[in-house]
Amino acid sequence: MYAIEVNNLAKSYGRVQALDGVSFAVRRGELFGLIGPDGAGKTTLFRLLTTLLLPDGGEAKVDGLDVVKDYLAIRSRVGYMPGRFSLYPDLSVEENLGFFAALFGVGVEESYDLVEPIYKQIAPFRTRRAGKLSGGMKQKLALSCALIHRPSVLFLDEPTTGVDAVSRCEFWDMLAGLKQRGITILVSTPYMDEASRCDRIALCNEGHILGIDTPTGIVGQFRSPLYAIRSRRTFALLEAARRQQGVVQCYPFGESHHLVVDDTFDKEQFVRALSDFEDLHIEPATPTIEDVFIKLMKR
Amino acid sequence: MRRFFVLFQKEFLQIRRNSFLPKLIIIFPIVIMLLMPLVMTMDVRNVNVAVVDLDRSTTSRRIASHIEASEYLTLSATTAEFPLAMEALEQGGADVIVQIPDHFERDMMSGTAERISIIANAVNATKGGIGMQYVVQTIARTLVELRGEKSPVGVSELVTIENRYNPTLNYRHYMIPALMIILFILICGFIPALSIVGEKESGTIEQINVTPVSRLTFTLGKLVPYWLIGLFVLTVAMIVAWLVYGLAPVGSVGLIYFGAALFVLVISGFSLMIANFSETMQQTMFVMFFFIMLFMLMSGLLTPIDSMPQWAQYFTILLPPRYFIDILRSVYLKGTTFVDMWQNFAALGIFAIVFNTLATLTYKKQA
């Protein structure tokens, strides 16, 4: 039984095809990540699944309910945290929580055990206006409000965008805690490094899904040899490396460049050809999700 | 029901938390009611009259002194040279010139007198026209008076005039109900619309849309707070009208509240509908401005509908404020009862149902 089933879902805004026949399924209790750059169609997918948008084609089910026909029933079963902070900035922390609890027809106490690990971190500021909270606290409040009615599926649209590294890490710990409670979580992020915290991930780009697998499975798909090359003359090196025999792709990766090669590549010859880069440093590298993404995107 | 109450409570909380709205809701009606009736007057007063007296007789001096004594006219200058008076007219020192020809008194007796000429500055057509009327009346009265003194038989008044419902022809009494409506349109027309579009801009509407709250509940949650605020504003305005201008409704206060309750529903439903079609506050503001101009200028608030062209009169049937203006003025000044004007209430009721249904239907939880 799947918590989310998406079948050939399509949506366009005028001439822009935001989602072009997307299919995937999320198991119950799974922490599923949508990884992709801005404009990949992640937010559109969230808005379709939370019944805020109507699809142009295809179908989707959340908790076994159709997003078009059973939209009302879905609304009381899902929690949604939009990418942009969208609680009432002029209401206090506790007023926001109480307000959303009441809209779902539940009391705060009924779900407090679920919300507590998150809410207790912002509880000292419960009388502060939500608009005056820091970024990390806003995000915790938004998560508390999205959980207050004990949803079976949680949709988090780029929850960690614009949040500092420590809070981001804490946030993923909280998600792991929620997963323990059996809540299915669909989360999107533009940060490839967060993908490893998910059970499975889908790489998306320009309205398509490029591949779905576990984080290690995705990385395992990358079978070509990979090198990291480095020189002080970063940009010149990139240009020169791309012209060499056997180089499939060369792209900046942090402080070095990643070099994807095929069978015809000869390391000795490569070093010789680039001998005018005196400080050239080359070593084999382990592929990451980002490497897989770039490779899939090129295809 | 509980959801409605929560939304309602939230709306009031937000209004209270707003640093500006509560002050606006209290101060705005008071200022408008205190200030506007004093300045919004169509009474033509202080008409400056320059008399060019070429006759220099008792009669001409009597005319000048009557002009001076008039409540509405001010004698700005008496000269013997027309060009001087004309210059004053051009420079704005005089609004009307009265020229009394030479030998007027002498020739008047023989019935061969040259005519008195009156020249008015009609840039402001109302002031020019009414000012001229006053001058003509004053001169005519003077001449009747003079004739009466000369002939043994007194000339009696032939016409009597009575102004019903507003005996002193006080323009304020006509304007105060109109001002109450302007207040209504401004407060209950703008604030609910801006509050919905504000939720769109801040994204909070998104969070509401994923809850199971129905469209009707949401719309009512937006509507009812402004309905109460509208009735509060009306109460403030009525108290000010009574305390400051001594204007209390001749008819039933309950009837006024009933009409007001319907009208607030009409106007706030209308503004919610506009908000549903707008993406930004700016857009809402401009669309509302357009309709508010129509409402204010075409509903008989300032100028009577009867004097509009026929096609415009038909068009006003579609403007809800016209019915409420009629109700408010009739109850305030004439004491009209419900039976005499149930059509107005019915029209408001229909508008309220239509606009609020449309407001509910056009509020989309899904795009």
Short mmCIF file of all heavy atoms in Angstrom, two decimals, chain A residues 233-270:
data_model
loop_
_atom_site.label_atom_id
_atom_site.label_comp_id
_atom_site.label_asym_id
_atom_site.label_seq_id
_atom_site.Cartn_x
_atom_site.Cartn_y
_atom_site.Cartn_z
N ARG A 233 44.88 27.83 -11.55
CA ARG A 233 44.21 28.50 -12.66
C ARG A 233 42.92 27.73 -12.96
O ARG A 233 42.82 26.99 -13.95
CB ARG A 233 45.14 28.54 -13.87
CG ARG A 233 46.25 29.58 -13.69
CD ARG A 233 47.47 29.22 -14.49
NE ARG A 233 47.14 29.16 -15.92
CZ ARG A 233 47.88 28.48 -16.80
NH1 ARG A 233 48.94 27.81 -16.41
NH2 ARG A 233 47.54 28.49 -18.07
N THR A 234 41.96 27.91 -12.10
CA THR A 234 40.76 27.09 -12.12
C THR A 234 40.04 27.08 -13.46
O THR A 234 39.76 26.04 -14.03
CB THR A 234 39.78 27.61 -11.04
OG1 THR A 234 40.53 27.98 -9.90
CG2 THR A 234 38.77 26.56 -10.67
N PHE A 235 39.78 28.29 -13.96
CA PHE A 235 38.94 28.36 -15.15
C PHE A 235 39.65 27.83 -16.39
O PHE A 235 39.07 27.09 -17.19
CB PHE A 235 38.45 29.79 -15.37
CG PHE A 235 37.39 29.87 -16.42
CD1 PHE A 235 36.13 29.33 -16.20
CD2 PHE A 235 37.67 30.44 -17.66
CE1 PHE A 235 35.15 29.38 -17.18
CE2 PHE A 235 36.70 30.48 -18.64
CZ PHE A 235 35.43 29.96 -18.40
N ALA A 236 40.93 28.18 -16.53
CA ALA A 236 41.71 27.72 -17.67
C ALA A 236 41.78 26.19 -17.67
O ALA A 236 41.66 25.55 -18.72
CB ALA A 236 43.11 28.32 -17.63
N LEU A 237 41.90 25.63 -16.48
CA LEU A 237 41.98 24.18 -16.35
C LEU A 237 40.69 23.52 -16.85
O LEU A 237 40.71 22.53 -17.58
CB LEU A 237 42.25 23.80 -14.88
CG LEU A 237 42.29 22.30 -14.59
CD1 LEU A 237 43.46 21.64 -15.30
CD2 LEU A 237 42.36 22.03 -13.10
N LEU A 238 39.58 24.12 -16.50
CA LEU A 238 38.28 23.59 -16.91
C LEU A 238 38.19 23.53 -18.44
O LEU A 238 37.82 22.51 -19.02
CB LEU A 238 37.17 24.49 -16.35
CG LEU A 238 35.73 24.00 -16.49
CD1 LEU A 238 35.48 22.77 -15.66
CD2 LEU A 238 34.76 25.11 -16.10
N GLU A 239 38.60 24.62 -19.07
CA GLU A 239 38.55 24.70 -20.53
C GLU A 239 39.48 23.66 -21.17
O GLU A 239 39.09 22.96 -22.10
CB GLU A 239 39.02 26.10 -20.97
CG GLU A 239 38.13 27.22 -20.47
CD GLU A 239 36.98 27.47 -21.43
OE1 GLU A 239 37.19 28.21 -22.41
OE2 GLU A 239 35.88 26.91 -21.19
N ALA A 240 40.68 23.58 -20.64
CA ALA A 240 41.70 22.69 -21.21
C ALA A 240 41.29 21.23 -21.04
O ALA A 240 41.39 20.42 -21.97
CB ALA A 240 43.05 22.95 -20.57
N ALA A 241 40.79 20.89 -19.84
CA ALA A 241 40.44 19.50 -19.54
C ALA A 241 39.34 19.00 -20.46
O ALA A 241 39.35 17.85 -20.91
CB ALA A 241 40.02 19.38 -18.08
N ARG A 242 38.41 19.91 -20.76
CA ARG A 242 37.27 19.50 -21.60
C ARG A 242 37.71 19.10 -23.01
O ARG A 242 36.99 18.38 -23.70
CB ARG A 242 36.26 20.65 -21.69
CG ARG A 242 35.36 20.70 -20.46
CD ARG A 242 34.39 21.83 -20.55
NE ARG A 242 33.53 21.84 -19.36
CZ ARG A 242 32.85 22.89 -18.95
NH1 ARG A 242 32.92 24.02 -19.62
NH2 ARG A 242 32.11 22.81 -17.87
N ARG A 243 38.86 19.59 -23.43
CA ARG A 243 39.31 19.30 -24.80
C ARG A 243 40.07 17.98 -24.90
O ARG A 243 40.42 17.55 -25.99
CB ARG A 243 40.20 20.44 -25.30
CG ARG A 243 39.41 21.69 -25.69
CD ARG A 243 40.26 22.62 -26.51
NE ARG A 243 41.42 23.08 -25.75
CZ ARG A 243 41.43 24.19 -25.01
NH1 ARG A 243 40.37 24.95 -24.94
NH2 ARG A 243 42.52 24.54 -24.37
N GLN A 244 40.35 17.31 -23.78
CA GLN A 244 41.23 16.14 -23.81
C GLN A 244 40.48 14.87 -24.23
O GLN A 244 39.27 14.75 -24.05
CB GLN A 244 41.89 15.92 -22.44
CG GLN A 244 42.74 17.10 -21.98
CD GLN A 244 43.69 17.59 -23.04
OE1 GLN A 244 44.42 16.79 -23.66
NE2 GLN A 244 43.72 18.89 -23.29
N GLN A 245 41.28 13.94 -24.75
CA GLN A 245 40.79 12.63 -25.21
C GLN A 245 40.15 11.86 -24.05
O GLN A 245 40.71 11.79 -22.96
CB GLN A 245 42.01 11.86 -25.75
CG GLN A 245 41.83 10.37 -25.95
CD GLN A 245 40.93 10.07 -27.14
OE1 GLN A 245 40.90 10.83 -28.11
NE2 GLN A 245 40.18 8.99 -27.06
N GLY A 246 38.94 11.31 -24.27
CA GLY A 246 38.29 10.45 -23.28
C GLY A 246 37.53 11.18 -22.20
O GLY A 246 36.95 10.55 -21.33
N VAL A 247 37.52 12.52 -22.22
CA VAL A 247 36.79 13.26 -21.19
C VAL A 247 35.34 13.43 -21.63
O VAL A 247 35.06 13.98 -22.69
CB VAL A 247 37.44 14.64 -20.94
CG1 VAL A 247 36.57 15.47 -20.00
CG2 VAL A 247 38.83 14.46 -20.37
N VAL A 248 34.41 12.90 -20.83
CA VAL A 248 32.99 13.01 -21.16
C VAL A 248 32.45 14.34 -20.66
O VAL A 248 31.74 15.06 -21.35
CB VAL A 248 32.20 11.84 -20.53
CG1 VAL A 248 30.72 11.94 -20.90
CG2 VAL A 248 32.77 10.51 -20.98
N GLN A 249 32.80 14.66 -19.42
CA GLN A 249 32.28 15.87 -18.79
C GLN A 249 33.30 16.40 -17.82
O GLN A 249 34.05 15.61 -17.20
CB GLN A 249 31.03 15.53 -17.98
CG GLN A 249 29.73 15.88 -18.65
CD GLN A 249 28.58 15.52 -17.76
OE1 GLN A 249 28.53 14.40 -17.23
NE2 GLN A 249 27.68 16.43 -17.57
N CYS A 250 33.39 17.69 -17.72
CA CYS A 250 34.20 18.28 -16.66
C CYS A 250 33.45 19.49 -16.14
O CYS A 250 33.02 20.34 -16.91
CB CYS A 250 35.57 18.69 -17.22
SG CYS A 250 36.66 19.33 -15.94
N TYR A 251 33.21 19.52 -14.82
CA TYR A 251 32.42 20.62 -14.25
C TYR A 251 32.97 21.00 -12.89
O TYR A 251 33.58 20.18 -12.19
CB TYR A 251 30.94 20.22 -14.15
CG TYR A 251 30.71 18.83 -13.59
CD1 TYR A 251 30.69 18.61 -12.22
CD2 TYR A 251 30.55 17.75 -14.45
CE1 TYR A 251 30.49 17.35 -11.72
CE2 TYR A 251 30.35 16.48 -13.94
CZ TYR A 251 30.33 16.28 -12.57
OH TYR A 251 30.14 15.03 -12.08
N PRO A 252 32.78 22.23 -12.51
CA PRO A 252 33.30 22.68 -11.21
C PRO A 252 32.57 21.93 -10.10
O PRO A 252 31.36 21.70 -10.18
CB PRO A 252 32.93 24.17 -11.18
CG PRO A 252 32.55 24.53 -12.56
CD PRO A 252 32.08 23.29 -13.23
N PHE A 253 33.31 21.55 -9.08
CA PHE A 253 32.72 20.84 -7.95
C PHE A 253 33.46 21.30 -6.71
O PHE A 253 34.57 20.85 -6.44
CB PHE A 253 32.86 19.33 -8.17
CG PHE A 253 31.99 18.53 -7.24
CD1 PHE A 253 30.72 18.13 -7.64
CD2 PHE A 253 32.43 18.18 -5.97
CE1 PHE A 253 29.92 17.40 -6.79
CE2 PHE A 253 31.63 17.45 -5.11
CZ PHE A 253 30.37 17.05 -5.53
N GLY A 254 32.88 22.22 -5.98
CA GLY A 254 33.56 22.76 -4.82
C GLY A 254 34.84 23.45 -5.24
O GLY A 254 34.85 24.25 -6.18
N GLU A 255 35.94 23.09 -4.58
CA GLU A 255 37.21 23.75 -4.88
C GLU A 255 37.90 23.15 -6.09
O GLU A 255 38.85 23.72 -6.62
CB GLU A 255 38.14 23.66 -3.67
CG GLU A 255 37.69 24.57 -2.54
CD GLU A 255 38.70 24.59 -1.40
OE1 GLU A 255 39.31 23.54 -1.15
OE2 GLU A 255 38.86 25.66 -0.80
N SER A 256 37.47 21.95 -6.51
CA SER A 256 38.12 21.31 -7.66
C SER A 256 37.12 21.13 -8.79
O SER A 256 36.01 21.63 -8.72
CB SER A 256 38.69 19.96 -7.22
OG SER A 256 37.68 19.22 -6.57
N HIS A 257 37.54 20.43 -9.83
CA HIS A 257 36.62 20.08 -10.91
C HIS A 257 36.45 18.59 -10.91
O HIS A 257 37.39 17.85 -10.62
CB HIS A 257 37.20 20.48 -12.27
CG HIS A 257 37.46 21.95 -12.40
ND1 HIS A 257 36.56 22.90 -12.00
CD2 HIS A 257 38.53 22.62 -12.90
CE1 HIS A 257 37.06 24.09 -12.25
NE2 HIS A 257 38.27 23.96 -12.78
N HIS A 258 35.26 18.14 -11.23
CA HIS A 258 35.06 16.70 -11.39
C HIS A 258 35.17 16.35 -12.86
O HIS A 258 34.63 17.05 -13.71
CB HIS A 258 33.71 16.27 -10.82
CG HIS A 258 33.80 15.91 -9.37
ND1 HIS A 258 32.75 15.33 -8.69
CD2 HIS A 258 34.81 16.03 -8.49
CE1 HIS A 258 33.12 15.12 -7.43
NE2 HIS A 258 34.36 15.54 -7.29
N LEU A 259 35.86 15.24 -13.11
CA LEU A 259 36.16 14.84 -14.47
C LEU A 259 35.54 13.47 -14.69
O LEU A 259 35.89 12.49 -14.02
CB LEU A 259 37.69 14.76 -14.59
CG LEU A 259 38.32 14.70 -15.97
CD1 LEU A 259 38.12 16.01 -16.70
CD2 LEU A 259 39.81 14.40 -15.82
N VAL A 260 34.57 13.40 -15.59
CA VAL A 260 33.94 12.11 -15.91
C VAL A 260 34.57 11.63 -17.21
O VAL A 260 34.63 12.38 -18.18
CB VAL A 260 32.41 12.26 -16.08
CG1 VAL A 260 31.77 10.90 -16.28
CG2 VAL A 260 31.82 12.97 -14.88
N VAL A 261 35.03 10.38 -17.21
CA VAL A 261 35.78 9.91 -18.38
C VAL A 261 35.23 8.59 -18.88
O VAL A 261 34.44 7.92 -18.20
CB VAL A 261 37.28 9.74 -18.03
CG1 VAL A 261 37.88 11.08 -17.66
CG2 VAL A 261 37.47 8.73 -16.93
N ASP A 262 35.64 8.20 -20.10
CA ASP A 262 35.23 6.89 -20.62
C ASP A 262 36.46 5.99 -20.77
O ASP A 262 37.55 6.34 -20.30
CB ASP A 262 34.46 7.06 -21.94
CG ASP A 262 35.27 7.76 -23.00
OD1 ASP A 262 36.53 7.76 -22.88
OD2 ASP A 262 34.68 8.30 -23.95
N ASP A 263 36.32 4.85 -21.46
CA ASP A 263 37.40 3.86 -21.53
C ASP A 263 38.65 4.36 -22.25
O ASP A 263 39.75 3.88 -21.99
CB ASP A 263 36.90 2.60 -22.27
CG ASP A 263 35.62 2.09 -21.66
OD1 ASP A 263 35.39 2.39 -20.46
OD2 ASP A 263 34.84 1.42 -22.36
N THR A 264 38.48 5.31 -23.15
CA THR A 264 39.62 5.75 -23.94
C THR A 264 40.52 6.70 -23.17
O THR A 264 41.53 7.17 -23.69
CB THR A 264 39.15 6.44 -25.23
OG1 THR A 264 38.45 7.64 -24.85
CG2 THR A 264 38.23 5.55 -26.05
N PHE A 265 40.13 7.00 -21.92
CA PHE A 265 40.90 7.98 -21.15
C PHE A 265 42.18 7.35 -20.61
O PHE A 265 42.18 6.23 -20.10
CB PHE A 265 40.03 8.48 -20.00
CG PHE A 265 40.71 9.48 -19.11
CD1 PHE A 265 40.86 10.81 -19.52
CD2 PHE A 265 41.22 9.11 -17.86
CE1 PHE A 265 41.48 11.74 -18.70
CE2 PHE A 265 41.84 10.04 -17.05
CZ PHE A 265 41.96 11.36 -17.47
N ASP A 266 43.29 8.10 -20.76
CA ASP A 266 44.56 7.65 -20.20
C ASP A 266 45.10 8.74 -19.30
O ASP A 266 45.38 9.86 -19.75
CB ASP A 266 45.54 7.34 -21.34
CG ASP A 266 46.88 6.88 -20.79
OD1 ASP A 266 46.92 6.42 -19.63
OD2 ASP A 266 47.88 7.03 -21.52
N LYS A 267 45.22 8.42 -18.01
CA LYS A 267 45.58 9.42 -17.02
C LYS A 267 46.95 10.04 -17.31
O LYS A 267 47.12 11.26 -17.28
CB LYS A 267 45.56 8.78 -15.64
CG LYS A 267 45.67 9.78 -14.51
CD LYS A 267 45.60 9.09 -13.17
CE LYS A 267 46.19 9.96 -12.08
NZ LYS A 267 46.39 9.22 -10.85
N GLU A 268 47.95 9.16 -17.68
CA GLU A 268 49.32 9.64 -17.95
C GLU A 268 49.29 10.69 -19.06
O GLU A 268 49.85 11.77 -18.93
CB GLU A 268 50.21 8.46 -18.40
CG GLU A 268 50.21 7.30 -17.42
CD GLU A 268 50.76 7.73 -16.06
OE1 GLU A 268 51.82 8.39 -16.04
OE2 GLU A 268 50.11 7.43 -15.01
N GLN A 269 48.58 10.30 -20.14
CA GLN A 269 48.54 11.17 -21.30
C GLN A 269 47.86 12.50 -20.96
O GLN A 269 48.29 13.56 -21.41
CB GLN A 269 47.75 10.45 -22.39
CG GLN A 269 48.06 10.97 -23.78
CD GLN A 269 47.00 10.51 -24.76
OE1 GLN A 269 46.48 9.39 -24.64
NE2 GLN A 269 46.71 11.34 -25.74
N PHE A 270 46.83 12.41 -20.09
CA PHE A 270 46.07 13.61 -19.69
C PHE A 270 46.99 14.58 -18.94
O PHE A 270 47.03 15.76 -19.22
CB PHE A 270 44.89 13.18 -18.81
CG PHE A 270 44.04 14.31 -18.29
CD1 PHE A 270 43.08 14.91 -19.09
CD2 PHE A 270 44.22 14.78 -16.99
CE1 PHE A 270 42.31 15.96 -18.61
CE2 PHE A 270 43.45 15.83 -16.50
CZ PHE A 270 42.49 16.42 -17.32
#
